[in-house]
Amino acid sequence: MKILEINYINFRNLDDSNTKFFPNLNLFFGKNGQGKTSLLEAVYFGATGQSFRTAKASEILKYGASKAGVYIVYEDMIGRKTLTVKFVNGKKEYSYNDKKVAYDEFYGKLNVVTYIPEDIILITGSPSVRRTFFDGEIAQTSNEYFQNLKSYNKILKIRNRYLKEQKTQSPEFSVYEEQFIYYGARVIAARLEYVSKISIILNLNYRKLFDDKKELNLVYSSDIGDLKKMSVEEIESLLKERIKKRFSMEKRYGFSLCGPQKDDFLFVLNGHEAKSTASQGEKKSIVFSLKLSEIDMVIRAKRENPVLLIDDISSYFDTNRKNSVLDYLEKRNIQVLLSSTGGLGIDSENFYVESGVIEYGKEIR
Ligand SMILES: Nc1ncnc2c1ncn2[C@@H]1O[C@H](COP(=O)(O)OP(=O)(O)O)[C@@H](O)[C@H]1O
Ligand SMILES: [Mg+2]
């Protein structure tokens, strides 16, 4: 997939305009505070309906504005397509090929992978950070997962309400219980499958790019048990058993104590959890390997290259490593949009960013 063009209105400090991208490396350079990250954020917003900087969509509104919009033209193997996200009156509206669609029809059409300095939180942050991330990744290539997760979250809310209001004796509770187990097991099964696939790729990427003497694994950690290689039915019965054991406690606490909303994804480097043992440099390398592995996961699932967004590339890599990474991406014909405060000494299409204006073809100073 390649993004051909983006249009934005009232997006942060960007001047309302459009920018055309090239099929390979696009470098956005300029001083700090000029709008480089905002541009990448606008691309991400147009592709996913989300920001990678904030959970509050209203923050992307240009100061003083009440609505904003991003329009993207991209192409995949089939042809030219468009996506629109409008943010009006606190609500988002989505279009695909100029037709209004619901979010679940919009999400995952244009696949993007991002690498931003804040991503280190995927290692250092709480389990919910990792769940949100992996849920988004799995959903971007599996609409079935998107739907199962949505149903699960809905039923989890209802179940929690019943537990809190002590209504577990009511006849409908057992119906909810069945659905809770049904969707919960499917969410867990899909995560397990994703983890088993990406873990292999992750290790290969890490060893190839960073350290061939170490072994990196991604492990799914669930409190319902050791879940290696299990069928959905087996997971269902484990989850059921676990709930039975914990039910009196759940009633006491007034919310659900087991299920995918409690699980975690662990990065394990040479047998030790990276969160507590890896060095700062190793953490960055793990996250970058993860992002490259995501690219492979998208290619496997969709037979399409995702678009890669890299913000502030110089802040993670020395020159050698940076060149080997960019070389690798170029060989694979992946469109990359990257930002930097200075030149990178690479062969790229260059855009100069100043006060929200993006200008193509300027010499890097
Ligand atoms: N909602 C907003 N409306 C207008 N300007 C904003 C908004 N949010 C941030 N800014 C400003 O936009 C400028 C560009 O920010 P950013 O894209 O992060 O710059 P860069 O990545 O080039 O360093 C900053 O000066 C910031 O204060
Ligand atoms: Mg920035």
Side-chain angles (χ1 to χ4, degrees):
M1 296 174 173
K2 309 263 174 165
I3 301 177
L4 306 175
E5 186 181 333
I6 179 171
N7 290 257
Y8 33 82
I9 295 165
N10 288 338
F11 200 96
R12 295 222 189 241
N13 78 325
L14 300 177
D15 246 31
D16 294 355
S17 183
N18 70 320
T19 301
K20 291 188 168 67
F21 300 139
F22 290 85
N24 294 100
L25 278 180
N26 298 262
L27 169 65
F28 301 89
F29 71 99
K31 297 196 184 80
N32 279 321
Q34 301 304 312
K36 302 180 298 297
T37 303
S38 299
L39 178 71
L40 298 183
E41 187 186 19
V43 173
Y44 190 76
F45 190 76
T48 66
Q50 317 275 340
S51 158
F52 53 61
R53 277 207 271 205
T54 173
K56 269 212 223 125
S58 60
E59 284 177 21
I60 61 104
L61 287 171
K62 181 168 285 180
Y63 297 143
S66 60
K67 53 186 175 184
V70 173
Y71 178 75
I72 285 181
V73 185
Y74 72 99
E75 63 182 8
D76 60 16
M77 279 183 301
I78 295 164
R80 187 180 170 281
K81 306 197 166 146
T82 67
L83 292 173
T84 316
V85 184
K86 287 184 191 160
F87 185 66
V88 185
N89 298 328
K91 273 206 182 118
K92 284 183 255 183
E93 286 172 15
Y94 304 96
S95 303
Y96 174 57
N97 290 338
D98 302 316
K99 255 190 23 217
K100 263 196 190 179
V101 290
Y103 188 54
D104 52 10
E105 268 181 80
F106 171 93
Y107 187 74
K109 288 280 191 292
L110 169 59
N111 299 104
V112 290
V113 169
T114 60
Y115 189 50
I116 59 171
E118 292 79 3
D119 277 337
I120 197 82
I121 199 172
L122 286 171
I123 312 267
T124 57
S126 68
S128 77
V129 174
R130 284 178 289 282
R131 283 194 302 266
T132 305
F133 169 76
F134 282 105
D135 284 343
E137 285 318 308
I138 304 169
Q140 92 159 291
T141 57
S142 167
N143 197 258
E144 188 189 357
Y145 186 75
F146 190 115
Q147 302 297 343
N148 282 339
L149 185 65
K150 199 165 128 185
S151 303
Y152 179 77
N153 285 331
K154 216 156 119 190
I155 211 78
L156 173 64
K157 260 197 200 143
I158 298 174
R159 188 175 190 270
N160 283 345
R161 204 178 61 230
Y162 273 67
L163 284 166
K164 196 173 165 206
E165 293 172 2
Q166 304 181 336
K167 293 199 300 201
T168 55
Q169 297 297 331
S170 65
E172 66 272 20
F173 187 78
S174 62
V175 179
Y176 293 139
E177 196 75 346
E178 254 172 50
Q179 292 178 4
F180 182 82
I181 290 163
Y182 179 92
Y183 290 115
R186 272 144 191 88
V187 167
I188 293 174
R191 286 180 180 174
L192 276 175
E193 196 191 329
Y194 189 88
V195 165
S196 77
K197 283 183 185 159
I198 200 173
S199 183
I200 297 165
I201 305 171
L202 181 64
N203 189 32
L204 289 174
N205 280 332
Y206 186 83
R207 292 168 60 107
K208 188 166 61 196
L209 283 167
F210 299 108
D211 188 347
D212 61 6
K213 286 177 201 69
K214 290 210 167 139
E215 191 79 29
L216 175 64
N217 287 297
L218 182 68
V219 177
Y220 190 69
S221 150
S222 173
D223 96 324
I224 70 169
D226 186 12
L227 298 177
K228 270 169 215 129
K229 282 198 184 125
M230 256 181 202
S231 68
V232 180
E233 291 73 26
E234 285 171 305
I235 298 170
E236 275 183 353
S237 64
L238 264 186
L239 187 55
K240 209 171 183 169
E241 234 172 77
R242 192 75 191 160
I243 291 175
K244 214 186 252 168
K245 273 197 198 127
R246 290 233 171 165
F247 194 49
S248 58
M249 226 207 281
E250 284 188 318
K251 284 193 284 193
R252 207 158 357 111
Y253 283 106
F255 60 89
S256 303
L257 292 173
C258 20
Q261 80 286 2
K262 293 280 171 199
D263 295 349
D264 199 1
F265 300 78
L266 311 178
F267 295 92
V268 179
L269 189 62
N270 266 10
H272 301 283
E273 203 186 331
K275 186 177 188 167
S276 46
T277 60
S279 72
Q280 200 62 13
E282 282 172 331
K283 284 176 186 156
K284 284 186 191 177
S285 305
I286 292 171
V287 175
F288 194 74
S289 307
L290 174 69
K291 300 297 175 146
L292 290 183
S293 310
E294 269 183 66
I295 294 176
D296 289 308
M297 293 300 281
V298 171
I299 294 171
R300 277 190 183 193
K302 307 256 298 226
R303 313 251 162 252
E304 292 269 9
N305 285 338
V307 175
L308 181 62
L309 312 178
I310 307 183
D311 192 25
D312 236 337
I313 187 160
S314 325
S315 65
Y316 335 94
F317 298 123
D318 56 35
T319 312
N320 284 342
R321 196 152 281 172
K322 187 184 67 206
N323 288 343
S324 79
V325 165
L326 293 175
D327 220 40
Y328 168 89
L329 294 167
E330 179 131 44
K331 278 200 194 95
R332 303 185 67 183
N333 188 27
I334 288 171
Q335 185 182 38
V336 186
L337 311 180
L338 51 101
S339 79
S340 169
T341 47
L344 298 175
I346 53 163
D347 195 11
S348 56
E349 301 290 349
N350 301 322
F351 298 78
Y352 181 60
V353 184
E354 188 174 10
S355 305
V357 176
I358 292 141
E359 193 182 340
Y360 171 67
K362 219 165 165 178
E363 282 296 304
I364 297 180
R365 282 160 300 176

